[in-house]
Amino acid sequence: MKHLKRRDFIKAAALAGAGAVVSKGFAKIPLENIGSPNSKPVVIASANGLKAVEKAMEMIKSGADALDAVIAGVNINENDPNDNSVGYGGLPNEEGVVELDAAVMHGPSYRAGAVAALRNIKNPSKVARLVMERTDHVLIVGEGALKFAKAHGFKEENLLTDEAREEWLKWKENLSKEDDWLPPHNIDDDDIGEIIRNYYRYYGTIHCSALDLNGNLSAVTTTSGLSYKIPGRVGDSPIIGAGLYVDNEVGAAGSTGRGEANLLNCSSVMIVEWMRQGKSPEEACLLACKRVNERCRERRLKDEKGRFKHNVKFYAINKKGEFGCASLWSGGRYGKIQFALHDGNEAKILDGVSLFKA
Ligand code: GLY
């Protein structure tokens, strides 16, 4: 066992006492992991992340590490009571309790941290980062995640806004076939009280990835998950390889949309690997959509033409600063497929591509 000298102990204790969410920063990155200095920075996010990409780019331009920047970016959404897909104001589980999932991945140190089913703490992305920096673990869930956050000084608060509670109540009062409890069924069964994703239920999330001035990549995904989910349900967002993935030599990717489909396909790590093989970010995102569609075997999840009928969106950037976004569906009830981007000059909302058009 390694014993700390008194001098080192005092230094370590001072750092530990620095308190909640104070990062030590990333000053010491092993040389072989350093990116290409003076890279042209880029930040991508889901369409709800216009302010997030602005904030992240502002920080990157003043020299911040990509992870510091993307977390600060998505904190805007986590703190916003009007964004009911993330953090404070997020739509609750079926019992009316908000449960949050988040993950971060830091390219240059090839480390990640995540929390799932975290209650009463509005910035799960900051807790995820502390899991990465201050534990020997990658994912902490539920009660343990809450205790861990409190140990680091996070304060518990009620995350359920009146607006989110009223939305939940509407859903509760119209229950029947809109919950996730399924009767016994075969994968070929079509009519088993189909899960209808209507206006009351959705998989809101924010993903944000960035390439900083040192050519380093990092990413974060944070969400309140599927609205009115079974308590304890965890989606793709906090799962490294599914909700996000970063390889500092290649690129970063992340997702929003139906987490169950992405959990079965680990699409973010696949997207990064396809980029390593030479695919552009957009091509790689589209391949992930194809894979989700082709792998689905459950009749109840397909339309009359056998196409996967829920939506998943993917976002990716590569080491050169190229970017792309693709989803399974666009148009009709799926809406326009868009994403937020800051290319170093301006923050904008751009159109992505889709596999199918409704
Ligand atoms: N993609 C977010 C979720 O399914 O929870």
Short mmCIF file of all heavy atoms in Angstrom, two decimals, residues 237-298:
data_model
loop_
_atom_site.label_atom_id
_atom_site.label_comp_id
_atom_site.label_asym_id
_atom_site.label_seq_id
_atom_site.Cartn_x
_atom_site.Cartn_y
_atom_site.Cartn_z
N SER A 237 -28.30 7.28 -22.59
CA SER A 237 -27.45 8.46 -22.34
C SER A 237 -26.26 8.20 -21.42
O SER A 237 -25.15 8.66 -21.71
CB SER A 237 -28.28 9.61 -21.79
OG SER A 237 -29.33 9.89 -22.65
N PRO A 238 -26.43 7.47 -20.29
CA PRO A 238 -25.28 7.32 -19.40
C PRO A 238 -24.43 6.10 -19.71
O PRO A 238 -23.53 5.77 -18.93
CB PRO A 238 -25.95 7.15 -18.03
CG PRO A 238 -27.19 6.41 -18.34
CD PRO A 238 -27.65 6.89 -19.70
N ILE A 239 -24.71 5.43 -20.82
CA ILE A 239 -23.97 4.21 -21.13
C ILE A 239 -22.87 4.54 -22.14
O ILE A 239 -23.15 4.91 -23.29
CB ILE A 239 -24.91 3.11 -21.67
CG1 ILE A 239 -26.06 2.88 -20.68
CG2 ILE A 239 -24.14 1.83 -21.96
CD1 ILE A 239 -25.63 2.47 -19.26
N ILE A 240 -21.63 4.38 -21.68
CA ILE A 240 -20.48 4.71 -22.54
C ILE A 240 -20.47 3.73 -23.72
O ILE A 240 -20.54 2.52 -23.53
CB ILE A 240 -19.16 4.58 -21.74
CG1 ILE A 240 -19.22 5.37 -20.43
CG2 ILE A 240 -17.95 5.00 -22.60
CD1 ILE A 240 -19.52 6.83 -20.56
N GLY A 241 -20.41 4.29 -24.92
CA GLY A 241 -20.48 3.45 -26.12
C GLY A 241 -21.85 3.52 -26.77
O GLY A 241 -21.99 3.31 -27.96
N ALA A 242 -22.87 3.80 -25.95
CA ALA A 242 -24.23 3.94 -26.50
C ALA A 242 -24.58 5.43 -26.62
O ALA A 242 -24.63 5.98 -27.71
CB ALA A 242 -25.22 3.20 -25.62
N GLY A 243 -24.76 6.10 -25.46
CA GLY A 243 -25.17 7.51 -25.48
C GLY A 243 -24.09 8.47 -25.91
O GLY A 243 -24.37 9.61 -26.29
N LEU A 244 -22.84 8.02 -25.82
CA LEU A 244 -21.72 8.84 -26.30
C LEU A 244 -20.45 8.01 -26.34
O LEU A 244 -20.37 6.96 -25.68
CB LEU A 244 -21.51 10.10 -25.41
CG LEU A 244 -20.65 10.02 -24.15
CD1 LEU A 244 -20.69 11.33 -23.41
CD2 LEU A 244 -21.06 8.92 -23.24
N TYR A 245 -19.51 8.45 -27.13
CA TYR A 245 -18.21 7.80 -27.15
C TYR A 245 -17.19 8.76 -27.77
O TYR A 245 -17.52 9.53 -28.66
CB TYR A 245 -18.24 6.49 -27.97
CG TYR A 245 -17.05 5.63 -27.66
CD1 TYR A 245 -16.99 4.91 -26.47
CD2 TYR A 245 -15.97 5.55 -28.54
CE1 TYR A 245 -15.89 4.14 -26.15
CE2 TYR A 245 -14.86 4.78 -28.22
CZ TYR A 245 -14.82 4.08 -27.03
OH TYR A 245 -13.73 3.33 -26.71
N VAL A 246 -15.98 8.70 -27.24
CA VAL A 246 -14.91 9.57 -27.75
C VAL A 246 -13.65 8.75 -27.91
O VAL A 246 -13.26 8.00 -27.00
CB VAL A 246 -14.61 10.72 -26.76
CG1 VAL A 246 -13.51 11.62 -27.31
CG2 VAL A 246 -15.87 11.55 -26.47
N ASP A 247 -13.02 8.87 -29.06
CA ASP A 247 -11.65 8.37 -29.22
C ASP A 247 -10.85 9.57 -29.70
O ASP A 247 -11.11 10.10 -30.79
CB ASP A 247 -11.59 7.22 -30.24
CG ASP A 247 -10.20 6.62 -30.29
OD1 ASP A 247 -9.20 7.39 -30.35
OD2 ASP A 247 -10.09 5.39 -30.27
N ASN A 248 -9.90 9.99 -28.89
CA ASN A 248 -9.21 11.25 -29.19
C ASN A 248 -8.44 11.24 -30.50
O ASN A 248 -8.12 12.29 -31.04
CB ASN A 248 -8.27 11.61 -28.03
CG ASN A 248 -8.10 13.12 -27.90
OD1 ASN A 248 -9.07 13.86 -28.06
ND2 ASN A 248 -6.89 13.57 -27.63
N GLU A 249 -8.18 10.05 -31.03
CA GLU A 249 -7.46 9.98 -32.31
C GLU A 249 -8.42 10.05 -33.49
O GLU A 249 -7.99 10.21 -34.63
CB GLU A 249 -6.68 8.68 -32.40
CG GLU A 249 -5.52 8.63 -31.45
CD GLU A 249 -4.83 7.28 -31.46
OE1 GLU A 249 -5.22 6.40 -32.27
OE2 GLU A 249 -3.92 7.11 -30.65
N VAL A 250 -9.72 9.86 -33.22
CA VAL A 250 -10.66 9.68 -34.33
C VAL A 250 -11.80 10.70 -34.32
O VAL A 250 -11.99 11.46 -35.27
CB VAL A 250 -11.28 8.26 -34.27
CG1 VAL A 250 -12.28 8.07 -35.41
CG2 VAL A 250 -10.20 7.20 -34.34
N GLY A 251 -12.60 10.69 -33.25
CA GLY A 251 -13.77 11.54 -33.22
C GLY A 251 -14.63 11.29 -32.01
O GLY A 251 -14.26 10.51 -31.12
N ALA A 252 -15.79 11.95 -32.00
CA ALA A 252 -16.73 11.81 -30.89
C ALA A 252 -18.12 11.66 -31.47
O ALA A 252 -18.42 12.21 -32.54
CB ALA A 252 -16.67 13.05 -29.99
N ALA A 253 -18.97 10.93 -30.73
CA ALA A 253 -20.34 10.74 -31.21
C ALA A 253 -21.28 10.65 -30.02
O ALA A 253 -20.86 10.30 -28.91
CB ALA A 253 -20.45 9.47 -32.05
N GLY A 254 -22.55 10.94 -30.28
CA GLY A 254 -23.56 10.84 -29.22
C GLY A 254 -24.94 10.74 -29.83
O GLY A 254 -25.11 10.83 -31.05
N SER A 255 -25.92 10.57 -28.95
CA SER A 255 -27.27 10.27 -29.44
C SER A 255 -28.35 10.96 -28.62
O SER A 255 -28.14 11.33 -27.47
CB SER A 255 -27.50 8.77 -29.35
OG SER A 255 -27.45 8.40 -27.98
N THR A 256 -29.52 11.08 -29.25
CA THR A 256 -30.75 11.41 -28.54
C THR A 256 -31.83 10.52 -29.17
O THR A 256 -31.63 9.96 -30.24
CB THR A 256 -31.13 12.89 -28.71
OG1 THR A 256 -31.33 13.18 -30.10
CG2 THR A 256 -30.06 13.83 -28.17
N GLY A 257 -32.97 10.42 -28.51
CA GLY A 257 -34.05 9.60 -29.07
C GLY A 257 -34.25 8.33 -28.29
O GLY A 257 -33.84 8.25 -27.12
N ARG A 258 -34.87 7.34 -28.91
CA ARG A 258 -35.27 6.12 -28.19
C ARG A 258 -34.06 5.33 -27.69
O ARG A 258 -33.39 4.60 -28.42
CB ARG A 258 -36.14 5.24 -29.09
CG ARG A 258 -36.65 4.00 -28.38
CD ARG A 258 -37.53 3.15 -29.27
NE ARG A 258 -37.67 1.81 -28.71
CZ ARG A 258 -38.65 1.41 -27.88
NH1 ARG A 258 -39.58 2.24 -27.51
NH2 ARG A 258 -38.68 0.17 -27.43
N GLY A 259 -33.79 5.49 -26.41
CA GLY A 259 -32.59 4.90 -25.82
C GLY A 259 -32.55 3.40 -25.91
O GLY A 259 -31.48 2.80 -26.07
N GLU A 260 -33.72 2.75 -25.84
CA GLU A 260 -33.73 1.29 -25.86
C GLU A 260 -33.13 0.77 -27.17
O GLU A 260 -32.39 -0.21 -27.19
CB GLU A 260 -35.16 0.76 -25.68
CG GLU A 260 -35.66 0.77 -24.24
CD GLU A 260 -35.94 2.16 -23.67
OE1 GLU A 260 -35.97 3.15 -24.46
OE2 GLU A 260 -36.13 2.27 -22.44
N ALA A 261 -33.44 1.45 -28.28
CA ALA A 261 -32.90 1.02 -29.58
C ALA A 261 -31.39 1.19 -29.62
O ALA A 261 -30.66 0.34 -30.13
CB ALA A 261 -33.55 1.83 -30.70
N ASN A 262 -30.94 2.28 -29.04
CA ASN A 262 -29.50 2.54 -29.06
C ASN A 262 -28.76 1.63 -28.09
O ASN A 262 -27.63 1.19 -28.37
CB ASN A 262 -29.24 4.02 -28.75
CG ASN A 262 -27.81 4.40 -29.00
OD1 ASN A 262 -27.11 3.73 -29.76
ND2 ASN A 262 -27.36 5.45 -28.35
N LEU A 263 -29.38 1.31 -26.97
CA LEU A 263 -28.74 0.38 -26.02
C LEU A 263 -28.48 -0.98 -26.67
O LEU A 263 -27.50 -1.66 -26.36
CB LEU A 263 -29.63 0.17 -24.79
CG LEU A 263 -29.56 1.27 -23.74
CD1 LEU A 263 -30.67 1.08 -22.70
CD2 LEU A 263 -28.21 1.28 -23.05
N LEU A 264 -29.37 -1.36 -27.58
CA LEU A 264 -29.21 -2.66 -28.23
C LEU A 264 -28.17 -2.61 -29.35
O LEU A 264 -27.82 -3.65 -29.91
CB LEU A 264 -30.55 -3.12 -28.81
CG LEU A 264 -31.60 -3.48 -27.74
CD1 LEU A 264 -32.96 -3.69 -28.38
CD2 LEU A 264 -31.18 -4.74 -26.99
N ASN A 265 -27.71 -1.42 -29.68
CA ASN A 265 -26.79 -1.30 -30.81
C ASN A 265 -25.46 -0.60 -30.50
O ASN A 265 -24.57 -0.60 -31.33
CB ASN A 265 -27.49 -0.55 -31.95
CG ASN A 265 -28.52 -1.42 -32.63
OD1 ASN A 265 -28.18 -2.23 -33.47
ND2 ASN A 265 -29.77 -1.29 -32.23
N CYS A 266 -25.34 -0.02 -29.31
CA CYS A 266 -24.11 0.68 -28.93
C CYS A 266 -23.61 1.56 -30.07
O CYS A 266 -22.45 1.47 -30.52
CB CYS A 266 -23.04 -0.32 -28.51
SG CYS A 266 -23.47 -1.09 -26.96
N SER A 267 -24.49 2.42 -30.54
CA SER A 267 -24.23 3.12 -31.80
C SER A 267 -23.08 4.12 -31.73
O SER A 267 -22.39 4.34 -32.73
CB SER A 267 -25.49 3.85 -32.24
OG SER A 267 -26.57 2.96 -32.23
N SER A 268 -22.87 4.77 -30.58
CA SER A 268 -21.84 5.81 -30.55
C SER A 268 -20.45 5.22 -30.78
O SER A 268 -19.64 5.78 -31.53
CB SER A 268 -21.89 6.59 -29.23
OG SER A 268 -23.09 7.34 -29.20
N VAL A 269 -20.16 4.09 -30.15
CA VAL A 269 -18.85 3.48 -30.38
C VAL A 269 -18.76 2.98 -31.82
O VAL A 269 -17.69 3.05 -32.45
CB VAL A 269 -18.54 2.38 -29.33
CG1 VAL A 269 -19.38 1.15 -29.50
CG2 VAL A 269 -17.06 1.99 -29.38
N MET A 270 -19.88 2.51 -32.37
CA MET A 270 -19.87 2.07 -33.77
C MET A 270 -19.57 3.24 -34.70
O MET A 270 -18.79 3.12 -35.65
CB MET A 270 -21.24 1.47 -34.14
CG MET A 270 -21.61 0.20 -33.42
SD MET A 270 -20.48 -1.17 -33.71
CE MET A 270 -20.63 -1.41 -35.47
N ILE A 271 -20.19 4.39 -34.42
CA ILE A 271 -19.97 5.58 -35.27
C ILE A 271 -18.50 5.98 -35.25
O ILE A 271 -17.89 6.26 -36.29
CB ILE A 271 -20.87 6.75 -34.80
CG1 ILE A 271 -22.34 6.43 -35.12
CG2 ILE A 271 -20.46 8.07 -35.44
CD1 ILE A 271 -23.34 7.38 -34.47
N VAL A 272 -17.91 5.98 -34.06
CA VAL A 272 -16.49 6.34 -33.96
C VAL A 272 -15.64 5.33 -34.74
O VAL A 272 -14.71 5.70 -35.47
CB VAL A 272 -16.05 6.45 -32.48
CG1 VAL A 272 -14.54 6.58 -32.37
CG2 VAL A 272 -16.74 7.65 -31.82
N GLU A 273 -15.98 4.06 -34.63
CA GLU A 273 -15.20 3.04 -35.36
C GLU A 273 -15.39 3.19 -36.87
O GLU A 273 -14.43 3.02 -37.64
CB GLU A 273 -15.56 1.63 -34.89
CG GLU A 273 -15.07 1.33 -33.48
CD GLU A 273 -13.57 1.64 -33.28
OE1 GLU A 273 -12.75 1.21 -34.09
OE2 GLU A 273 -13.25 2.37 -32.31
N TRP A 274 -16.60 3.50 -37.31
CA TRP A 274 -16.80 3.73 -38.75
C TRP A 274 -16.01 4.95 -39.21
O TRP A 274 -15.47 4.97 -40.33
CB TRP A 274 -18.29 3.89 -39.07
CG TRP A 274 -19.04 2.59 -39.10
CD1 TRP A 274 -18.62 1.41 -39.68
CD2 TRP A 274 -20.32 2.31 -38.54
NE1 TRP A 274 -19.57 0.44 -39.51
CE2 TRP A 274 -20.63 0.95 -38.82
CE3 TRP A 274 -21.26 3.06 -37.84
CZ2 TRP A 274 -21.82 0.34 -38.42
CZ3 TRP A 274 -22.44 2.46 -37.46
CH2 TRP A 274 -22.72 1.12 -37.73
N MET A 275 -15.93 5.97 -38.37
CA MET A 275 -15.12 7.15 -38.76
C MET A 275 -13.64 6.75 -38.84
O MET A 275 -12.91 7.20 -39.71
CB MET A 275 -15.33 8.30 -37.77
CG MET A 275 -16.72 8.92 -37.86
SD MET A 275 -16.87 10.53 -37.05
CE MET A 275 -16.73 10.12 -35.34
N ARG A 276 -13.21 5.88 -37.93
CA ARG A 276 -11.81 5.42 -37.97
C ARG A 276 -11.52 4.71 -39.31
O ARG A 276 -10.45 4.82 -39.88
CB ARG A 276 -11.55 4.43 -36.83
CG ARG A 276 -10.06 4.09 -36.64
CD ARG A 276 -9.84 2.87 -35.77
NE ARG A 276 -10.47 2.96 -34.47
CZ ARG A 276 -9.98 3.64 -33.43
NH1 ARG A 276 -8.85 4.27 -33.54
NH2 ARG A 276 -10.62 3.68 -32.29
N GLN A 277 -12.56 4.03 -39.82
CA GLN A 277 -12.39 3.32 -41.10
C GLN A 277 -12.52 4.25 -42.30
O GLN A 277 -12.47 3.81 -43.44
CB GLN A 277 -13.43 2.20 -41.22
CG GLN A 277 -13.20 1.06 -40.25
CD GLN A 277 -14.44 0.17 -40.11
OE1 GLN A 277 -15.36 0.22 -40.94
NE2 GLN A 277 -14.47 -0.64 -39.07
N GLY A 278 -12.76 5.54 -42.07
CA GLY A 278 -12.76 6.50 -43.17
C GLY A 278 -14.11 7.10 -43.52
O GLY A 278 -14.21 7.92 -44.43
N LYS A 279 -15.17 6.66 -42.82
CA LYS A 279 -16.48 7.26 -43.12
C LYS A 279 -16.53 8.68 -42.59
O LYS A 279 -15.92 9.00 -41.56
CB LYS A 279 -17.60 6.46 -42.45
CG LYS A 279 -17.71 5.03 -42.90
CD LYS A 279 -18.22 4.93 -44.32
CE LYS A 279 -18.33 3.49 -44.77
NZ LYS A 279 -18.11 3.33 -46.21
N SER A 280 -17.28 9.54 -43.28
CA SER A 280 -17.47 10.90 -42.78
C SER A 280 -18.41 10.81 -41.56
O SER A 280 -19.14 9.80 -41.40
CB SER A 280 -18.12 11.77 -43.85
OG SER A 280 -19.47 11.38 -44.02
N PRO A 281 -18.45 11.85 -40.71
CA PRO A 281 -19.37 11.81 -39.58
C PRO A 281 -20.82 11.55 -40.01
O PRO A 281 -21.52 10.76 -39.39
CB PRO A 281 -19.19 13.20 -38.95
CG PRO A 281 -17.78 13.57 -39.28
CD PRO A 281 -17.54 13.01 -40.66
N GLU A 282 -21.25 12.21 -41.08
CA GLU A 282 -22.64 12.01 -41.52
C GLU A 282 -22.88 10.57 -42.01
O GLU A 282 -23.88 9.94 -41.66
CB GLU A 282 -22.97 13.00 -42.64
CG GLU A 282 -24.43 12.95 -43.04
CD GLU A 282 -24.76 13.98 -44.09
OE1 GLU A 282 -24.91 15.17 -43.73
OE2 GLU A 282 -24.85 13.61 -45.28
N GLU A 283 -21.92 10.05 -42.80
CA GLU A 283 -22.07 8.66 -43.27
C GLU A 283 -22.12 7.69 -42.09
O GLU A 283 -22.90 6.74 -42.07
CB GLU A 283 -20.88 8.27 -44.17
CG GLU A 283 -20.90 8.90 -45.53
CD GLU A 283 -19.57 8.74 -46.27
OE1 GLU A 283 -18.52 8.45 -45.63
OE2 GLU A 283 -19.58 8.93 -47.49
N ALA A 284 -21.25 7.93 -41.11
CA ALA A 284 -21.19 7.04 -39.95
C ALA A 284 -22.51 7.09 -39.15
O ALA A 284 -23.02 6.06 -38.71
CB ALA A 284 -20.00 7.41 -39.06
N CYS A 285 -23.07 8.30 -39.00
CA CYS A 285 -24.35 8.44 -38.28
C CYS A 285 -25.47 7.70 -39.03
O CYS A 285 -26.32 7.05 -38.43
CB CYS A 285 -24.73 9.91 -38.11
SG CYS A 285 -23.67 10.79 -36.95
N LEU A 286 -25.43 7.81 -40.35
CA LEU A 286 -26.45 7.13 -41.16
C LEU A 286 -26.32 5.61 -41.07
O LEU A 286 -27.31 4.88 -41.03
CB LEU A 286 -26.32 7.61 -42.61
CG LEU A 286 -27.58 7.74 -43.46
CD1 LEU A 286 -28.75 8.34 -42.71
CD2 LEU A 286 -27.27 8.56 -44.71
N LEU A 287 -25.08 5.14 -41.03
CA LEU A 287 -24.87 3.69 -40.87
C LEU A 287 -25.45 3.20 -39.54
O LEU A 287 -26.03 2.11 -39.46
CB LEU A 287 -23.37 3.35 -40.91
CG LEU A 287 -22.74 3.27 -42.30
CD1 LEU A 287 -21.23 3.10 -42.17
CD2 LEU A 287 -23.34 2.11 -43.10
N ALA A 288 -25.32 4.03 -38.52
CA ALA A 288 -25.88 3.67 -37.20
C ALA A 288 -27.40 3.57 -37.29
O ALA A 288 -28.00 2.66 -36.71
CB ALA A 288 -25.46 4.69 -36.15
N CYS A 289 -28.02 4.50 -38.03
CA CYS A 289 -29.48 4.45 -38.21
C CYS A 289 -29.88 3.16 -38.92
O CYS A 289 -30.85 2.49 -38.54
CB CYS A 289 -29.96 5.65 -39.02
SG CYS A 289 -29.68 7.22 -38.21
N LYS A 290 -29.13 2.82 -39.97
CA LYS A 290 -29.44 1.59 -40.73
C LYS A 290 -29.34 0.37 -39.83
O LYS A 290 -30.16 -0.54 -39.89
CB LYS A 290 -28.45 1.43 -41.89
CG LYS A 290 -28.75 2.34 -43.05
CD LYS A 290 -27.87 2.01 -44.24
CE LYS A 290 -28.15 3.00 -45.36
NZ LYS A 290 -27.00 3.28 -46.20
N ARG A 291 -28.34 0.37 -38.98
CA ARG A 291 -28.12 -0.78 -38.10
C ARG A 291 -29.27 -0.93 -37.10
O ARG A 291 -29.76 -2.03 -36.86
CB ARG A 291 -26.79 -0.59 -37.37
CG ARG A 291 -26.27 -1.80 -36.65
CD ARG A 291 -24.84 -1.51 -36.22
NE ARG A 291 -24.20 -2.69 -35.70
CZ ARG A 291 -24.12 -2.99 -34.40
NH1 ARG A 291 -24.66 -2.19 -33.51
NH2 ARG A 291 -23.51 -4.08 -34.01
N VAL A 292 -29.71 0.19 -36.53
CA VAL A 292 -30.85 0.15 -35.61
C VAL A 292 -32.06 -0.44 -36.33
O VAL A 292 -32.76 -1.33 -35.82
CB VAL A 292 -31.18 1.56 -35.08
CG1 VAL A 292 -32.53 1.58 -34.37
CG2 VAL A 292 -30.08 2.06 -34.14
N ASN A 293 -32.31 0.03 -37.55
CA ASN A 293 -33.47 -0.43 -38.30
C ASN A 293 -33.36 -1.92 -38.64
O ASN A 293 -34.30 -2.68 -38.43
CB ASN A 293 -33.60 0.38 -39.59
CG ASN A 293 -34.78 -0.04 -40.41
OD1 ASN A 293 -35.91 -0.04 -39.94
ND2 ASN A 293 -34.54 -0.47 -41.64
N GLU A 294 -32.20 -2.33 -39.13
CA GLU A 294 -32.05 -3.71 -39.59
C GLU A 294 -32.05 -4.73 -38.46
O GLU A 294 -32.46 -5.87 -38.64
CB GLU A 294 -30.75 -3.85 -40.40
CG GLU A 294 -30.88 -3.24 -41.77
CD GLU A 294 -29.54 -2.98 -42.45
OE1 GLU A 294 -28.50 -3.45 -41.93
OE2 GLU A 294 -29.55 -2.31 -43.48
N ARG A 295 -31.59 -4.30 -37.31
CA ARG A 295 -31.47 -5.27 -36.21
C ARG A 295 -32.77 -5.52 -35.46
O ARG A 295 -32.87 -6.49 -34.73
CB ARG A 295 -30.44 -4.77 -35.22
CG ARG A 295 -29.07 -4.69 -35.85
CD ARG A 295 -28.12 -5.45 -35.04
NE ARG A 295 -26.95 -5.78 -35.82
CZ ARG A 295 -25.85 -6.25 -35.28
NH1 ARG A 295 -25.81 -6.44 -33.99
NH2 ARG A 295 -24.82 -6.57 -36.03
N CYS A 296 -33.72 -4.60 -35.62
CA CYS A 296 -34.95 -4.76 -34.84
C CYS A 296 -35.74 -5.97 -35.34
O CYS A 296 -36.01 -6.10 -36.53
CB CYS A 296 -35.80 -3.49 -34.95
SG CYS A 296 -37.36 -3.69 -34.09
N ARG A 297 -36.12 -6.83 -34.42
CA ARG A 297 -36.89 -8.03 -34.78
C ARG A 297 -38.32 -7.97 -34.25
O ARG A 297 -39.10 -8.87 -34.48
CB ARG A 297 -36.23 -9.29 -34.19
CG ARG A 297 -34.81 -9.53 -34.64
CD ARG A 297 -34.79 -10.10 -36.07
NE ARG A 297 -33.43 -10.31 -36.53
CZ ARG A 297 -32.68 -9.39 -37.11
NH1 ARG A 297 -33.16 -8.17 -37.31
NH2 ARG A 297 -31.45 -9.66 -37.51
N GLU A 298 -38.64 -6.95 -33.47
CA GLU A 298 -39.94 -6.92 -32.79
C GLU A 298 -41.00 -6.25 -33.65
O GLU A 298 -40.90 -5.05 -33.95
CB GLU A 298 -39.81 -6.20 -31.45
CG GLU A 298 -38.95 -6.96 -30.47
CD GLU A 298 -39.14 -6.44 -29.06
OE1 GLU A 298 -40.17 -6.74 -28.46
OE2 GLU A 298 -38.26 -5.72 -28.58
#
